[in-house]
Amino acid sequence: MRTSRNRRSQTGFTLLELVVVMVLLGLMTSLALPSMQRWHAGLVARSDASTVVDALQAAAFNAGVQKQDVRMDASSFVVATSGESAADPDGAQALTPDGKRLARIILPPGWQVGRAVPATFGANGLCTPGLIALQSASGAAMIFQVQGPLCHVEWTLDHGAGQASGTGAR
C-alpha cells in the first residue's frame, strides 16, 4: 500500500506531455520564423539606407570643408569591398568633364545603382537638388533625394518598383 501511494505523490511530466509541448513549440516557431526573417531583412535595409544618407551628408560637408563643388551622379556610387564602408570619409576622388570633383559614395555589399538625377554639393555649403535610385541587397528599391538648397537628404521606398509600403527619412 505504501509503494503505490509513493508513486502517486511523485511529480514530473510524462513523455507524452513533453512530446506535445515540443510539437507545439515547433509549430509556433515555424509560424513566427518567416516574420522574424522579414523583420530582420527590413531592419538591415533601413540601417544600410541610413548609412548611405550619412555618406551623402558627409560628401556635402566635405565639399564645404574643401571649398570645392562636388557632383553626385550614378558614377559616384561604388559597391563596398572588404574593409570599406558607406561612411568612408573619402569624399571626392575623380573630376567630371566640367571640372567638378565627383563624390565617392561606397554602397553596402550587394547594393545596385539605378537611375540618377545629378546633384551638386557646393563649396558654399548649398546644394542643387538631385536623386539616386538604389536597390538594396534584399531587393528593396529605394530613392535617395538631395534637397536643395540646404543639402537635406532623405530616402523613401520606391513604390513604383513594386515594393512593400514604408518610408524612412533622416
Side-chain angles (χ1 to χ4, degrees):
M1 185 80 135
R2 192 173 242 194
T3 58
S4 66
R5 191 168 51 164
N6 283 345
R7 270 193 239 150
R8 284 190 201 134
S9 66
Q10 290 179 351
T11 58
F13 297 104
T14 66
L15 183 59
L16 181 61
E17 290 170 331
L18 290 175
V19 168
V20 168
V21 168
M22 295 301 289
V23 167
L24 289 175
L25 285 175
L27 185 62
M28 289 181 357
T29 302
S30 69
L31 293 174
L33 191 60
S35 296
M36 293 295 286
Q37 289 173 332
R38 282 191 303 273
W39 172 78
H40 183 262
L43 185 64
V44 169
R46 285 189 301 275
S47 173
D48 287 346
S50 292
T51 304
V52 172
V53 168
D54 290 344
L56 287 168
Q57 289 174 335
F61 179 77
N62 287 340
V65 168
Q66 296 172 358
K67 303 279 189 236
Q68 294 180 340
D69 288 349
V70 176
R71 181 182 170 100
M72 179 220 58
D73 60 19
S75 61
S76 297
F77 294 85
V78 287
V79 177
T81 60
S82 62
E84 289 180 310
S85 72
D88 200 352
D90 200 4
Q93 293 296 316
L95 291 177
T96 61
D98 59 356
K100 291 184 181 173
R101 295 183 64 82
L102 187 63
R104 182 171 183 250
I105 309 296
I106 300 172
L107 296 174
W111 282 51
Q112 297 177 351
V113 178
R115 66 188 188 280
V117 175
T120 301
F121 305 121
N124 58 2
L126 301 177
C127 295
T128 60
L131 68 84
I132 184 80
L134 301 173
Q135 185 172 3
S136 72
S138 65
M142 300 177 190
I143 297 177
F144 293 82
Q145 292 182 315
V146 176
Q147 299 174 349
L150 300 178
C151 302
H152 176 71
V153 180
E154 70 177 36
W155 68 274
T156 58
L157 289 178
D158 187 359
H159 299 292
Q163 295 300 317
S165 64
T167 61
R170 284 191 48 164

